């Protein structure tokens, strides 16, 4: 509104000035001709010409702006049409097939249709490029890939795990990725948050019940994704982010999931049998009714982690795992399993390990004490309550590494 008023005011001033000049020109024609008058007349004509040009430009300004706006709208529309065409072409190639002829046992030849795996992988790669080109379209593309994985998992379902634990390890060893295009789609979804800068919650990755067995999902981000009832047995998840993800009934049997961030994960009734979970972060994770039989949780971090009486914590190796603010009283465990683990008085466990500090440590103290325990080993670590006070060290000789019982 202010711009319109300014345009009207400038137009009125220029129009008034032009009328004034025209009046002066008309008056000068009535005066006697002189050399000075002829020079003034020419100067008036020049000013009138310049002012007329400026006034014309001012009058044409809004129409020029409208034309430019219309051109920009047409250009943007053309770009949208081109983008949608590329998106539709990639979406069409997601179900590309080709015809081939195969010889039958009776010697006859039959024309059959097969999925074009190479073309489908190319389509998935183009969808990733389109998501990077227009991050605002990333959630839409993510939904396409999620639907694709769900539908392909119907045709190529996960292999059921054997009930006998002793048969699980050779079973996992024989697992393989059913389709390379399925693995590519899962990897694109895991890269999308970082590549596009879109919040994982907006991407809303939904892979419930999807077959991810034996896939390489390392260094990917599935934060806030829904992986409930997904099958990732034998999968590789090095340094993968699963923060705030829904993992209820997920199957990670014999998965290699080292340094995975499980913070705030809902992992109720998950199957972690034989999984390599070294260095994982289980802060605020819910492991109620989960099965960790033969799992390796060495160097993992359990803070405010939820366990219940249905959790099977018969792990293969606790090792140097650390525990804080966690209730372990419902678990059927042997305290000797925690011989090399670290914790403080915030952990509820019976009996309480003697080599743990008998009071709650703050964050800085816990990190320092845990580092000492890791560097020097639990055999040389002395908990704070058994150390000689500094004032006594001035009069008494240094005590041995571990407190000798009286």
């Amino acid at each position: 509104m202010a711009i319109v008023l300014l345009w009207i005011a400038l137009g009125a001033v220029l129009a008034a000035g032009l009328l004034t000049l025209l009046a002066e020109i008309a008056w000068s024609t009535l005066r006697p001709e002189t050399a000075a008058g002829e020079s003034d007349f020419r100067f008036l004509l020049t000013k009138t010409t310049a002012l007329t040009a400026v006034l014309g430009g001012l009058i044409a300004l809004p129409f020029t702006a409208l034309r430019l706006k219309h051109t920009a709208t047409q250009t943007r529309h053309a770009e949208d049409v081109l983008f949608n065409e590329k998106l539709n072409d990639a979406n069409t190639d997601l179900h590309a097939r080709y015809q081939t002829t195969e010889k039958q046992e009776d010697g006859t030849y039959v024309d059959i249709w097969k999925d074009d795996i190479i073309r489908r992988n190319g389509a998935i790669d183009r969808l990733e490029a389109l998501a990077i080109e227009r991050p605002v379209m990333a959630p839409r593309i993510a939904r396409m890939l999620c639907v694709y994985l769900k539908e392909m998992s119907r045709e190529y379902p996960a292999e059921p795990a054997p009930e006998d634990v002793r048969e699980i390890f050779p079973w996992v060893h024989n697992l393989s990725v059913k389709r390379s295009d399925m693995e590519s789609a899962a990897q694109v979804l895991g890269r999308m948050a970082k590549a596009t800068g879109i919040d994982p919650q907006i991407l809303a990755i939904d892979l419930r019940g999807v077959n991810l067995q034996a896939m390489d999902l390392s260094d990917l981000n599935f934060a806030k994704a829904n992986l409930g009832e997904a099958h990732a047995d034998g999968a590789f998840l090095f340094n993968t982010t699963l923060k705030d993800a829904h993992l209820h009934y997920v199957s990670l049997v014999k998965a290699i999931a080292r340094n995975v961030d499980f913070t705030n994960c809902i992992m109720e009734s998950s199957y972690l049998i034989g999984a390599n979970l070294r260095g994982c972060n289980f802060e605020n994770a819910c492991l109620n009714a989960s099965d960790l039989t033969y799992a390796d949780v060495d160097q993992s971090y359990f803070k405010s982690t939820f366990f219940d009486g249905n959790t099977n914590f018969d792990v293969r190796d606790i090792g140097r795992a650390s525990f804080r603010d966690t209730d372990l009283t419902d678990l059927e465990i042997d305290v000797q399993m925690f011989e090399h683990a670290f914790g403080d008085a915030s952990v509820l466990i019976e009996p309480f390990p003697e080599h743990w500090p008998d009071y709650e440590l703050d964050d800085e103290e816990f990190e320092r004490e845990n580092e000492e325990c890791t560097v020097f080993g639990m055999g040389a670590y002395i908990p704070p309550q058994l150390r000689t006070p500094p004032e006594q060290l001035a009069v008494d000789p240094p005590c041995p590494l571990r407190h000798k019982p009286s």
Side-chain angles (χ1 to χ4, degrees), residues 159 168-177 214:
E159 297 289 339
I168 283 181
F169 301 104
W171 169 77
V172 171
H173 181 72
N174 293 324
L175 284 178
S176 60
V177 179

Side-chain angles (χ1 to χ4, degrees), residues 3-273:
I3 296 177
V4 174
L5 293 176
L6 179 61
W7 178 76
I8 294 175
L10 288 175
V13 170
L14 291 175
L18 182 61
L19 291 175
T20 302
L21 289 176
L22 292 175
E24 290 184 9
I25 292 174
W27 178 253
S28 63
T29 57
L30 302 176
R31 290 181 297 183
E33 294 185 5
T34 61
E38 185 178 352
S39 177
D40 292 340
F41 184 76
R42 290 176 180 174
F43 184 64
L44 284 174
L45 290 177
T46 304
K47 289 196 296 182
T48 303
T49 303
L51 193 57
T52 302
V54 173
L55 183 59
L58 183 65
I59 294 174
L61 179 62
F63 301 100
T64 304
L66 289 174
R67 180 171 55 82
L68 292 175
K69 182 181 179 181
H70 181 66
T71 303
T73 302
Q74 286 183 321
T75 302
R76 186 166 58 250
H77 178 70
E79 292 176 351
D80 291 340
V81 170
L82 178 60
F83 183 86
N84 283 325
E85 287 179 354
K86 292 189 291 184
L87 188 62
N88 290 332
D89 290 342
N91 192 27
T92 301
D93 285 347
L94 272 182
H95 50 84
R97 310 187 78 188
Y98 67 94
Q99 191 176 34
T100 184
T101 303
E102 285 191 356
K103 185 177 182 180
Q104 305 299 307
E105 294 180 356
D106 58 359
T108 60
Y109 291 87
V110 178
D111 292 335
I112 61 174
W113 289 89
K114 288 187 176 181
D115 294 343
D116 194 335
I117 306 297
I118 298 177
R119 192 171 174 184
R120 294 191 183 196
N121 275 297
I124 293 169
D125 182 69
R126 277 182 285 155
L127 286 174
E128 182 179 17
L130 291 173
I132 296 173
E133 179 183 338
R134 284 199 181 183
V136 70
M137 301 297 291
R140 178 182 173 187
I141 295 173
R143 288 193 296 270
M144 290 181 185
L145 293 177
C146 288
V147 171
Y148 181 74
L149 278 171
K150 287 183 178 180
E151 292 303 317
M152 293 306 300
S153 295
R154 296 178 189 271
E155 297 184 29
Y156 299 90
E159 297 289 339
E163 296 182 0
D164 191 346
V165 177
R166 293 172 296 181
E167 299 178 3
I168 283 181
F169 301 104
W171 169 77
V172 171
H173 181 72
N174 293 324
L175 284 178
S176 60
V177 179
K178 291 291 185 69
R179 295 270 299 242
S180 62
D181 54 333
M182 295 175 65
E183 185 177 36
S184 296
Q187 291 172 346
V188 167
L189 286 171
R191 291 193 296 262
M192 194 165 291
K194 181 179 180 181
T196 63
I198 301 297
D199 188 275
Q201 186 170 0
I202 298 177
L203 289 177
I205 296 174
D206 184 0
L207 297 177
R208 287 174 293 175
V210 167
N211 178 14
L212 304 173
Q213 287 180 334
M215 292 186 182
D216 187 358
L217 305 176
S218 301
D219 298 305
L220 300 178
N221 186 357
F222 290 100
K224 301 178 181 179
N226 192 340
L227 293 162
E229 302 183 36
H231 297 268
D233 312 303
F236 297 89
L237 295 100
F238 290 97
N239 304 313
T240 300
T241 299
L242 288 167
K243 185 176 181 181
D244 298 306
H246 291 270
L247 303 175
H248 45 280
Y249 291 100
V250 71
S251 183
L252 290 168
V253 175
K254 209 66 176 59
I256 311 297
R258 301 187 63 170
N259 301 321
V260 174
D261 187 2
F262 288 107
T263 302
N264 301 325
C265 277
I266 301 175
M267 305 178 67
E268 290 181 299
S269 303
S270 56
Y271 300 94
L272 306 172
I273 301 172

